[in-house]
Amino acid sequence: MRGLEGKAAIVTGGATLIGAKVAEAFAQAGVGTVLADINAQDGQRIAGELGDKVKFVKTDVTNDSDIDACLKTCEESFGRVDFLVNVACTYLDNGLASTRDEWLTALNVNLVGMAIFTQKAQCYMRKQGGGSVVNFASISGKRAQPGRMLYSASKAAILQFTRNAAMQVADDNIRVNSISPGWTWSNIMVQLTENRREKADAVAAPFHILGRTGSPEEVASSVLFLCSDEASFITGTDLAVDGGYSAIGPEQMTDAVSKLAE
Ligand SMILES: NC(=O)c1ccc[n+]([C@@H]2O[C@H](COP(=O)([O-])OP(=O)(O)OC[C@H]3O[C@@H](n4cnc5c(N)ncnc54)[C@H](O)[C@@H]3O)[C@@H](O)[C@H]2O)c1
């Protein structure tokens, strides 16, 4: 893809399977990458595995000084900051029973963290004439799901944050988009299925047109597309990387109409 090589990216939440695959894809495209996460153990291990082009900086997205230090390290290490990919999230959620503290914590990590990171990254991106921000939203921000509230509300807010931010940074030649993955093979699925991908795929099949979970590599390539010059006229929008989840209606893929005549 055009416009990636020699540039520099920050990936928050980079210590998880999805974030690590985004960092790996950037490194393979010749992009210097900073993994920013509170999980130093996995972050350092992943950065070590990915080679010289990838650095880990322990960063809490709810802490403004950490965000400043992360941006500074990216500029000092790679001479610039071109791309910000906001992957970090919390799944803290007690549905409608969630307390005020839980609401504020979830929104702080999932929404306010990326908002402040974007605000601060704008100054760096402006210096080199532009950049691209990709925010991780989700199918959960578009559809009701059992038991969920904080996670879903924060993901829906990210979709709107993306539209407004795109308008407010366009003069600096910065594009802002989101991606909304469907069920993606990720740390939580590895744990829940005891690393059985076929089990996750079978559970996901009825509500994804493509009949399986997505791979973190498929999510990563969408992120790189949105950062690249191939997406130079794309801003303020959401890319559904969901195997058709959001295209399906309540009948799912059953032939419900034929049941009328039974
Ligand atoms: N897994 C899926 O099926 C799926 C589906 C749709 C969207 N997504 C989105 O993809 C992204 C990754 O999801 P995942 O399932 O891999 O999540 P995960 O919980 O495995 O990873 C989240 C990462 O964020 C980090 N993090 C948490 N709080 C932080 C903070 N305050 N500062 C910095 N880092 C922090 C964690 O340490 C972790 O590495 C999320 O934005 C999620 O909403 C995932």
Side-chain angles (χ1 to χ4, degrees), residues 195-209:
N195 206 20
R196 283 175 295 159
R197 176 77 187 259
E198 67 288 354
K199 174 133 194 240
D201 284 345
V203 174
F207 43 87
H208 293 77
I209 289 177

Side-chain angles (χ1 to χ4, degrees), residues 13-18 36-39 59-62 86-91 109 136-139 151 155 180-189:
T16 191
L17 195 50
I18 294 176
D37 203 295
I38 46 172
N39 178 348
T59 310
D60 182 342
V61 298
T62 67
N86 290 304
V87 181
C89 84
T90 176
Y91 287 107
V109 176
F136 269 60
S138 172
I139 49 173
Y151 179 74
K155 292 292 164 180
S180 287
W183 280 33
T184 307
W185 184 242
S186 51
N187 289 15
I188 184 82
M189 288 198 192

Side-chain angles (χ1 to χ4, degrees), residues 65-129:
S65 323
D66 277 13
I67 296 174
D68 285 331
C70 180
L71 284 157
K72 198 158 172 268
T73 304
C74 185
E75 189 179 56
E76 283 169 3
S77 306
F78 304 114
R80 50 200 294 139
V81 180
D82 300 275
F83 311 129
L84 171 64
V85 184
N86 290 304
V87 181
C89 84
T90 176
Y91 287 107
L92 170 70
D93 203 324
N94 279 308
L96 189 57
S98 302
T99 64
R100 183 177 296 277
D101 275 354
E102 288 167 339
W103 268 103
L104 292 175
T105 300
L107 289 172
N108 202 12
V109 176
N110 291 352
L111 176 67
V112 183
M114 74 165 56
I116 301 296
F117 225 128
T118 303
Q119 175 206 87
K120 289 177 179 290
Q122 180 184 9
C123 311
Y124 286 82
M125 292 177 180
R126 183 191 286 139
K127 280 196 262 180
Q128 79 245 339

Side-chain angles (χ1 to χ4, degrees), residues 30 56 103 124 127 130 132-133 162 219 224 243 259:
F56 174 75
W103 268 103
Y124 286 82
K127 280 196 262 180
S132 173
V133 178
T162 298
V219 171
L224 261 69
K259 291 195 177 140

